[in-house]
Structure formats: structure tokens, C-alpha cells
Amino acid sequence: MIVGIGADLLQLKRLEAAYERTQGRLAKRVLGDEELIVFEQRLKRNHKRGIAYLATRFAAKEAFSKAIGLGMHTPMTWRSLQTLNEPSGKPYTKYSGALADFMDEKQWHAQVTVTDEQDMVMAFVVVSYGTPIVSTFDPSNYIG
């Protein structure tokens, strides 16, 4: 059962301006430990791709906070939610601290997707109750 849906759209230049204004501290305030490692690696290789990564994670946290109906209030904090990627590239959520306890107690699970274009990023989150939503798509059955 779906308990919440959240979306966030963000202009890259606004986030980049905030990152520059804070001399990079924004990333350390918003990203979890694992996200920060990926961000720093991407930023070193390509500044624009690093900023896009930071922006998609920021948008995912905003979308998630809307989907759970709390906004940025305890137990939701910037660093307690991470959006990481499976080896296939599929994004997934990882919780820590009070947010992990909150999600476990409610038996809630989140599905997240993020995307970026030249000047915008978007995140979309669906939170469900009970058994996690799992795709039933089997590519071997696809004919079209």
C-alpha cells in the first residue's frame, strides 16, 4: 500500500551557487558518509558531474521528506537518508539512526529515482507499507 509520494525539481545553478557560497560545506552538511565519498570522487573527475550528483541527492532527500509527510523534521535529517546506487545503477535508499528506527517501526519502504539534465535535476519517491514494492518485469518475456 502506498503511504506517500514525493517529488522535487531543482535548478543546478541554484545548488551550485549555494555550494560555492558555503565553500563546499553544503555537501558535508547534506550528504551521508557513503554519498560524500561518491560525490568527492565525481567532483575530482568532472566538476559538473559532481555538482549534478550533489543536486540529485539533495532533491531525493527533499522528495523523501515529502513522501513520509514530515518535511525536514526529526527523525528526518539530511544525513540520515542516503540515496546510493546498486551495481546496475539503480538508486536505492539507506537510512540511519532515528530515521531507520522510524521506517522499521512503520514497516515503510521507499523507492527512489533521480535524473538530471543540463540545468535541472529531479527526484521522485514512493513510500509503501508492508512488503517492499518489487518490479515484476522480466526482460526475457519482453517481445516488443
Side-chain angles (χ1 to χ4, degrees), residues 49-106:
R49 295 304 306 149
I51 295 298
Y53 180 86
L54 174 59
T56 57
R57 275 41 194 184
F58 184 96
K61 292 164 194 285
E62 287 281 340
F64 178 86
S65 73
K66 294 170 186 175
I68 63 172
L70 295 177
M72 283 297 173
H73 298 286
T74 304
M76 177 58 189
T77 65
W78 290 110
R79 294 176 46 85
S80 64
L81 170 73
Q82 294 190 89
T83 301
L84 305 169
N85 294 86
E86 294 177 358
S88 67
K90 178 184 175 185
Y92 68 93
T93 56
K94 182 177 179 180
Y95 323 107
S96 61
L99 182 60
D101 296 339
F102 175 83
M103 294 297 285
D104 284 344
E105 287 169 13
K106 293 197 171 282

Side-chain angles (χ1 to χ4, degrees), residues 93-129:
T93 56
K94 182 177 179 180
Y95 323 107
S96 61
L99 182 60
D101 296 339
F102 175 83
M103 294 297 285
D104 284 344
E105 287 169 13
K106 293 197 171 282
Q107 297 179 42
W108 287 1
H109 310 277
Q111 297 290 317
V112 61
T113 190
V114 295
T115 190
D116 62 277
E117 264 306 316
Q118 288 184 334
D119 59 347
M120 302 290 287
V121 300
M122 197 238 22
F124 188 80
V125 174
V126 175
V127 174
S128 61
Y129 168 79

